[in-house]
């Protein structure tokens, strides 16, 4: 009898925790989107200096405040080493790698901006999908 009650309580617990999970809210992303950067490339000098270049999207929706920023993330392996938001829609950035000969680096570039009139209860801060370049 104890095993039956235990199993029944376990099933009820699983059902209750899964029934409260609203995937529609988590999976949907409506609203205005920023397009990603294009033509992403990097060059590495012998001293570990990386120059990253890209082209900003030409079709920016009018709902965004201008100028936009570009959000940079530098990963050494799987660890986030550095991040910065560059203002005024730049198309070039330089960074010095800490361990240029020992690690694989990836740099993620995203457009970043704010909506002029965000909807009530929603964030006005929008990131584009990230584009990644591997530094070798």
């Amino acid at each position: 009898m104890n095993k039956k009650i235990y199993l029944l309580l376990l099933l009820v617990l699983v059902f209750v925790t899964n029934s409260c999970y609203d995937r529609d809210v988590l999976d949907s992303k409506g609203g205005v989107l920023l397009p990603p950067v294009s033509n992403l490339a990097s060059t590495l000098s012998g001293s570990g200096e990386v120059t990253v270049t890209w082209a900003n999207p030409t079709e920016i929706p009018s709902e965004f405040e201008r100028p936009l920023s570009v959000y940079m993330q530098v990963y050494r392996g799987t660890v986030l080493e550095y991040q910065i938001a560059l203002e005024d829609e730049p198309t070039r950035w330089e960074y010095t790698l800490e361990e240029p000969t020992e690690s694989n680096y990836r740099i993620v570039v995203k457009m970043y901006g704010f909506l002029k009139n965000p909807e009530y209860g929603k964030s006005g801060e929008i990131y584009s999908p990230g584009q990644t370049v591997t530094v070798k």
Side-chain angles (χ1 to χ4, degrees):
M1 184 69 174
N2 259 351
K3 285 185 179 182
K4 289 181 182 179
I5 293 174
Y6 177 74
L7 277 172
L8 182 62
L9 287 175
L10 185 62
L11 287 174
V12 168
L13 179 65
V14 169
F15 177 73
V16 168
T17 57
N18 284 334
S19 66
C20 297
Y21 201 63
D22 190 359
R23 291 297 312 177
D24 291 339
V25 173
L26 298 175
D27 292 340
S28 66
K29 283 194 169 191
V32 183
L33 302 175
L34 271 172
V37 299
S38 58
N39 301 328
L40 183 60
S42 69
T43 56
L44 178 62
S45 71
S47 62
E49 185 81 19
V50 177
T51 302
V52 182
T53 57
W54 62 89
N56 290 331
T58 56
E59 302 286 328
I60 303 292
S62 61
E63 291 89 355
F64 286 96
E65 294 178 1
R66 298 296 290 268
L68 296 171
S69 297
V70 177
Y71 184 66
M72 310 293 293
Q73 295 174 309
V74 178
Y75 288 90
R76 180 175 20 170
T78 58
V79 177
L80 179 63
E81 181 176 281
Y82 185 76
Q83 59 188 348
I84 189 171
L86 308 171
E87 297 179 350
D88 297 327
E89 300 182 22
T91 58
R92 184 176 193 276
W93 182 62
E94 293 180 359
Y95 179 73
T96 303
L97 302 176
E98 288 186 22
E99 296 177 11
T101 58
E102 297 180 20
S103 299
N104 292 329
Y105 281 86
R106 293 176 296 119
I107 299 176
V108 179
V109 181
K110 301 177 185 181
M111 294 302 295
Y112 168 64
F114 291 91
L115 294 173
K116 292 177 185 174
N117 299 310
E119 291 182 42
Y120 178 76
K122 293 187 177 180
S123 175
E125 181 179 30
I126 308 291
Y127 290 87
S128 74
Q131 300 297 311
T132 304
V133 65
T134 302
V135 179
K136 294 183 179 182

